[in-house]
């Protein structure tokens, strides 16, 4: 069975400083991994995805994540935080193929706070 | 303008009433999903459908029902049997063969 652990429920950084949101996963097979962002009372937007190609994945809005199989990690980073980055971030794993059954497994989320 | 729409954005109901949440997509996606979101719990899968006229229960299907009569529509009914229906409900869809899902804006249901 697959699972996802987001190591921090809240992260607070100052505007202009780096962002690090940590995610560890457990999977029996080669997983696909995603990061989604959710602004208050909105749906989820796909930030980036890893599907067994390059281990360093670049996403939208300057975010990137690195897949490290030996550490079973998929941490999300951004060099310089912007006020508009304040949101909830979800790390997500899928063991299934694209035609698979029960969708994605979500972490519990990390609330990113940006201090002015 | 392609995407997934959910209506209404906010919904209020009295306890004991059934309520139906709408989800429509014009992305020509094959699979559609319903999730429930509660504070601090991430998203939990309620039902999913991979093709028209077929759907499967997710992790928390009790007290919910769905239909998939058209490819672009996947309505969710929250029945009076659902013990804690107040939550934020998200609909998603994906292309067959793809990994990632795309989400609608959500419906916040409050039952009193």
């Amino acid at each position: 069975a697959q699972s996802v652990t987001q190591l921090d429920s809240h992260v607070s950084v100052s505007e202009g400083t780096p962002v690090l949101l940590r995610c560890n996963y457990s999977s029996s097979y080669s997983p696909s991994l995603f990061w989604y962002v959710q602004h208050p009372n909105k749906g989820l937007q796909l930030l980036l995805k890893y599907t067994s190609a390059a281990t360093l994945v670049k996403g939208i809005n300057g975010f990137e994540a690195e897949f490290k199989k030996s550490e079973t990690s998929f941490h999300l980073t951004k060099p310089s935080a912007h006020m508009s980055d304040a949101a909830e971030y979800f790390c997500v794993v899928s063991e299934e193929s694209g035609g698979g059954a029960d969708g994605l497994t979500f972490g519990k989320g990390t609330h990113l706070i940006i201090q002015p | 303008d392609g995407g997934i729409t959910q209506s209404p954005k906010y919904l209020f109901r009295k306890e004991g009433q059934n309520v139906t949440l709408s989800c429509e997509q014009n992305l020509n996606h094959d699979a559609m999903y319903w999730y429930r979101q509660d504070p601090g719990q991430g998203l939990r899968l309620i039902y999913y459908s991979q093709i028209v006229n077929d759907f499967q229960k997710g992790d928390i299907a009790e007290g919910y029902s769905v239909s998939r009569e058209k490819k672009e529509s996947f309505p969710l009914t929250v029945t009076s049997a659902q013990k804690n229906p107040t939550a934020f409900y998200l609909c998603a869809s994906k292309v067959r063969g793809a990994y990632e899902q795309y989400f609608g804006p959500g419906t916040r249901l409050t039952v009193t």
Side-chain angles (χ1 to χ4, degrees):
Chain A
Q2 60 196 30
S3 66
V4 177
T5 302
Q6 292 185 241
L7 299 168
D8 306 291
S9 60
H10 293 78
V11 169
S12 180
V13 302
S14 298
E15 190 175 19
T17 65
V19 174
L20 170 64
L21 305 183
R22 299 181 295 163
C23 173
N24 287 118
Y25 70 91
S26 172
S27 173
S28 302
Y29 305 99
S30 297
S32 297
L33 293 156
F34 311 86
W35 277 97
Y36 284 84
V37 60
Q38 184 182 33
H39 289 91
N41 293 309
K42 301 287 187 185
L44 276 69
Q45 180 184 16
L46 181 66
L47 270 181
L48 51 80
K49 63 181 180 182
Y50 166 78
T51 55
S52 76
T55 56
L56 182 61
V57 181
K58 293 189 184 299
I60 61 172
N61 300 334
F63 284 94
E64 63 181 41
E66 186 171 8
F67 173 72
K68 291 188 176 180
K69 187 174 180 179
S70 60
E71 299 177 10
T72 60
S73 69
F74 191 57
H75 301 334
L76 182 70
T77 60
K78 182 173 180 177
S80 176
H82 191 272
M83 294 301 291
S84 61
D85 294 328
E88 192 83 13
Y89 290 79
F90 293 96
C91 183
V92 181
V93 64
S94 173
E95 265 184 4
E96 304 291 347
S97 67
D102 61 357
L104 310 174
T105 299
F106 289 78
K108 293 188 184 297
T110 297
H111 186 59
L112 178 62
I113 301 161
I114 311 295
Q115 306 282 358
Chain B
D1 194 19
I4 304 173
T5 57
Q6 292 185 243
S7 60
K9 186 171 179 61
Y10 298 96
L11 191 54
F12 299 88
R13 282 292 182 269
K14 294 290 187 185
E15 194 173 317
Q17 293 179 335
N18 291 356
V19 59
T20 297
L21 282 58
S22 168
C23 177
E24 304 276 332
Q25 54 98 2
N26 61 4
L27 302 168
N28 200 33
H29 285 177
D30 303 289
M32 298 186 73
Y33 303 79
W34 274 106
Y35 293 90
R36 170 184 172 134
Q37 186 177 26
D38 296 283
Q41 293 198 42
L43 275 68
R44 293 181 289 169
L45 181 66
I46 305 173
Y47 267 99
Y48 64 97
S49 168
Q50 294 179 289
I51 56 173
V52 175
N53 293 322
D54 187 47
F55 48 83
Q56 283 77 41
K57 293 181 179 179
D59 300 321
I60 56 164
E62 185 175 351
Y64 299 97
S65 65
V66 293
S67 62
R68 186 88 185 275
E69 297 177 2
K70 299 186 297 182
K71 186 176 184 178
E72 57 270 22
S73 178
F74 191 40
L76 173 74
T77 296
V78 184
T79 75
S80 57
Q82 169 49 234
K83 296 194 186 323
N84 296 296
T86 295
F88 191 51
Y89 290 88
L90 287 158
C91 178
S93 68
K94 73 172 186 179
V95 174
R96 185 181 301 167
Y99 297 94
E100 65 273 21
Q101 296 178 16
Y102 293 90
F103 285 81
T107 292
R108 186 166 297 281
L109 173 65
T110 302
V111 176
T112 58

